[in-house]
Amino acid sequence: MHLPVDAVVAVTYRCDSRCNMCNLWKIDPGPEMIARDLQKLPSTLKDINITGGEPFLLDDIVEIVRTLYDHCGKPRIVISTSGFQKRKIVHAAPSLMKIGRRVGIAVSLDGIGETHDKIRGVEGGFQMVVDTLGQLKKMGYKNVRVAFTVQRENVKHLGAVYDLSRQLGFQFTTSVAQNSEFYFFTADNQQVEPGELENEMKYVMRKELLSLSPKRWLRAYFYAGVLRYNKLGQRALKCTAGRESFFIDPAGIIYPCLTLEKQMGNLNEHDFGRIWKSGISEKIRDSVDGCGISCWMICTARASMKKNPLKPLSWIFRNYIRLLAGRGISVD
């Protein structure tokens, strides 16, 4: 069994948000990772999302990133943040830029004005995020993206937040709010009205497909998968969680993904290779094939897209031609 290439690494469960689509902030945060813990991860990783909680609450976040970057041979690393810790983010940014251009920051923005404040449960949160993004732009930090989580309350803000991200010169990512009883600690997130989501999402997809960026073309395909998942509860591609990717929590427990609550092992008790090649992990991989939990998040979709490139590329070509011909985007 080959080692994985993609990982979501939760370094802390401390959180500075009070989000209505996630209950992580309600639990005891428990242990946190330190830089030397990351040296236990496989050096085969090419894509790493550092998440929480709020990673910038950790004083050694720069050292954590540097350790992963060196250990894994310059992988693509994205730190997910609420953007509320402006002072800490701005302080860390020069050091993060020096580590490498492949180190990025994803700042959550879930609506314009009070909509964002309400969803994130932090008064004045929208302005905090705008200030953080503005400061990163002023500093010349180019590897920044605005991350929008769609739900019923904010779906009509999707296009506006996309436009704001492009005005700032930053990348944009989005998906719908999804459930996990052991990571988001909720099963209450509901389907977004499909018609409303399609109207907003196709606006974004059109602009992404007509760009000159292959990365943005692939994001348009991912967004087609978001529409499919939201409407039908189905994945666009077979899941490769537990094979190409995994999730690790701050206590060192390894799971195949964010949604399937099956422990493959604890990195504080056994080395990664032993865990990954164990009989328990093999049974969990088999269970992923028949997983009854449908999801479509970039953390698992990215690896599936790389494993099955022809389908995304075919969709991109077909829809690019449709747009040039003045026809609309076909999700299928």
Side-chain angles (χ1 to χ4, degrees), residues 1-2 21 33 43 49 69 83 90 103 118 130 160 170 178 188 190-191 195 203 224 247 290 305 314:
M1 183 65 201
H2 66 270
M21 70 285 200
M33 285 193 178
S43 60
N49 175 212
Y69 195 77
V90 169
V103 176
K118 182 179 178 182
V130 170
F170 293 149
Q178 297 176 47
D188 294 333
Q190 300 176 332
Q191 178 193 52
Y203 169 78
F247 166 68
M305 289 162 65
S314 174

Side-chain angles (χ1 to χ4, degrees), residues 51-67:
T51 188
E54 173 51 59
F56 283 100
L57 289 174
L58 297 183
D59 293 335
D60 63 341
I61 185 60
V62 171
E63 187 58 32
I64 283 173
V65 173
R66 184 180 291 111
T67 298

Side-chain angles (χ1 to χ4, degrees), residues 1-7 39-47 71-72 240-246 254 264 267 270-278 281-282 285 303 307:
M1 183 65 201
H2 66 270
L3 294 175
V5 296
D6 203 313
Q39 294 177 330
K40 302 175 184 178
L41 293 177
S43 60
T44 53
L45 296 176
K46 302 301 180 185
D47 280 281
H71 176 65
C72 297
T240 59
R243 292 185 171 87
E244 303 297 323
S245 60
F246 66 92
I254 298 169
M264 302 175 84
L267 203 56
H270 303 288
D271 68 75
F272 190 91
R274 179 178 175 183
I275 292 171
W276 199 248
K277 297 174 183 179
S278 70
S281 292
E282 191 58 39
R285 280 188 279 272
K307 195 73 174 176

Side-chain angles (χ1 to χ4, degrees), residues 62-258:
V62 171
E63 187 58 32
I64 283 173
V65 173
R66 184 180 291 111
T67 298
L68 276 173
Y69 195 77
D70 292 342
H71 176 65
C72 297
K74 302 180 180 180
R76 189 175 75 105
I77 298 176
V78 176
I79 311 166
S80 295
T81 176
S82 68
F84 295 154
Q85 300 293 320
K86 185 180 80 168
R87 183 184 63 80
K88 292 186 175 183
I89 294 170
V90 169
H91 177 73
S95 297
L96 293 173
M97 285 191 282
K98 287 180 180 178
I99 291 172
R101 290 182 298 174
R102 291 170 63 81
V103 176
I105 300 175
V107 183
S108 294
L109 184 58
D110 294 330
I112 303 298
E114 292 182 359
T115 296
H116 179 75
D117 297 359
K118 182 179 178 182
I119 287 173
R120 289 281 161 172
V122 176
E123 185 176 354
F126 174 76
Q127 192 58 52
M128 292 181 196
V129 171
V130 170
D131 289 347
T132 297
L133 290 169
Q135 191 64 38
L136 289 172
K137 180 178 177 63
K138 184 178 179 180
M139 298 173 71
Y141 205 134
K142 299 186 182 302
N143 194 352
V144 177
R145 65 216 63 197
V146 174
F148 183 91
T149 302
V150 187
Q151 52 181 292
R152 292 181 175 185
E153 290 86 344
N154 69 352
V155 59
K156 293 182 179 180
H157 288 235
L158 174 56
V161 173
Y162 172 81
D163 287 340
L164 177 59
S165 73
R166 300 309 304 162
Q167 289 166 15
L168 289 167
F170 293 149
Q171 302 170 54
F172 178 81
T173 62
T174 185
S175 188
V176 293
Q178 297 176 47
N179 293 304
S180 170
E181 294 185 353
F182 77 99
Y183 179 61
F184 303 123
F185 295 94
T186 182
D188 294 333
N189 289 318
Q190 300 176 332
Q191 178 193 52
V192 179
E193 201 288 312
E196 290 185 350
L197 180 59
E198 185 168 329
N199 288 338
E200 294 286 327
M201 192 71 86
K202 283 189 173 181
Y203 169 78
V204 173
M205 292 163 69
R206 183 179 187 278
K207 287 184 173 290
E208 298 292 84
L209 281 172
L210 293 177
S211 74
L212 299 177
S213 168
K215 180 186 288 187
R216 292 171 65 183
W217 301 341
L218 289 167
R219 283 192 179 133
Y221 173 78
F222 172 74
Y223 300 152
V226 172
L227 290 174
R228 178 185 179 89
Y229 165 76
N230 179 71
K231 186 175 182 179
L232 303 175
Q234 298 175 353
R235 293 180 60 89
L237 293 170
K238 181 180 178 181
C239 186
T240 59
R243 292 185 171 87
E244 303 297 323
S245 60
F246 66 92
F247 166 68
I248 182 169
D249 74 8
I253 300 174
I254 298 169
Y255 300 84
C257 62
L258 296 174

